[in-house]
Amino acid sequence: MRVPLLDLSGQYRVLAGTIRTQLDEVLASQHFILGPKIAAFEEAIRNYCGSPNAIGVSSGTDAFLAILMALDIGPGDAVITSAYSFFATGGCIARVGATPVFVDIDPDTYNISTTALERYLVEKCRWGEDGSLREPRGNIVRAIVPVHLYGLCCDMDAIQRISERFQLPVIEDAAQAIGAEYPSGGASTKAGAMGECGYFSFYPTKNLGAAGDAGMVICRDNAFAERLRSCRQHGMEQRYYHNFIGGNFRLDEMQAAILGAKLPFLDGWSAARRGVAEVYREEFRRLGLTDRLALPVEPYRDRGLKNHHIYHQFVIRTSRRDALREHLTAREIGTAIYYPLGLHEQKCFAYLCHQAGDFPETERAARETLALPIYPELRPDAQRYVAESIAEFFEQSR
Ligand SMILES: Cc1ncc(COP(=O)(O)O)c(C=O)c1O
């Protein structure tokens, strides 16, 4: 049996008619840039996320870049984020000329360790005479960027407390977590809507995927939203008058039309992914694999939330990851490693002078984690085949 890591064709078959109608409407209107489909999709995201502002942009990467540029973050500044994320999280910080500061992860959730974050701020950073917080190289710490990896929200209560203590705004990297909820008080808040701002990626493989690149920023403050709107058009406020430097970060009307058609299905897809995750758990239990593999944790499961985890990825861990992956590849089972290196280990960040062992949990996760196939249409028989192939691997290598 062949089990791909991801198969989007089932989803498209169901929605093909709706999506084509949407695209036909855009083509008939010939309104390709910042048209009504974008306005409608932004409104839908505002309502879905419970955020007063949503600004459609060209990708998740450009969303973060636009945020950093709109905040005027650049040389002499530092931004703190997780050492274990997709490259864009660290890359954008460096691209605006600021210094990325990495913090190790929690080994169970793979999200930023709030203990390590607080320790870094307390032990390594100092308040300057001008009231700014400076990291050891002298750069001013400007923001904290928690990444809700694999579709699970970070420990936002702790992050909010740290953000208040050190007066640092929180920019949520919710690229993998649209719709994921976090228990706050007796209620729930959605990923991206907890910090000063947050951003999503609609890369085709995401739970809500475009037919190409697309992204979105959500934010609380109306004035900041206006600045982001001009940032996505080269810092233009009045036509051809540029008050600051931005970029061409606009969301495409065609992509907005497709995403708008898909959004009503998102919660159903995320629920189906949770169902897939449950089947994996049952299979692993049945096959006696739970002491050989670490499975994803669900810290908010019993907190009355709809989307306590959206399972953008189902990631297991074993110290024999590479051999297991080889075994599964031979059985035509798609897997992926998100990510094989910590950000501090990337060659392009050598100038930060990190050493092996600086972020041990990140480095261990990079050696041990493996993402298994997960998508709403994945059938239980395919999952059984994946689980039995994993059991076979451990059986053979006993
Ligand atoms: C955690 C994280 N941050 C940022 C991004 C960047 O988004 P995009 O690929 O849309 O530029 C991604 C996309 O994969 C991501 O997973």
Side-chain angles (χ1 to χ4, degrees), residues 92-113:
C92 289
I93 298 168
R95 213 169 128 195
V96 296
T99 299
V101 172
F102 302 124
V103 169
D104 208 357
I105 54 167
D106 174 284
D108 297 324
T109 62
Y110 306 109
N111 284 331
I112 194 165
S113 157

Side-chain angles (χ1 to χ4, degrees), residues 59-61 85-86 88-89 147 173 175-176 199 201 203 206 213-214 339:
S59 67
T61 302
S85 181
F86 176 62
T89 316
V147 183
D173 180 335
Q176 302 186 2
Y199 62 92
S201 163
Y203 184 77
K206 297 291 194 274
D213 282 307
Y339 298 93

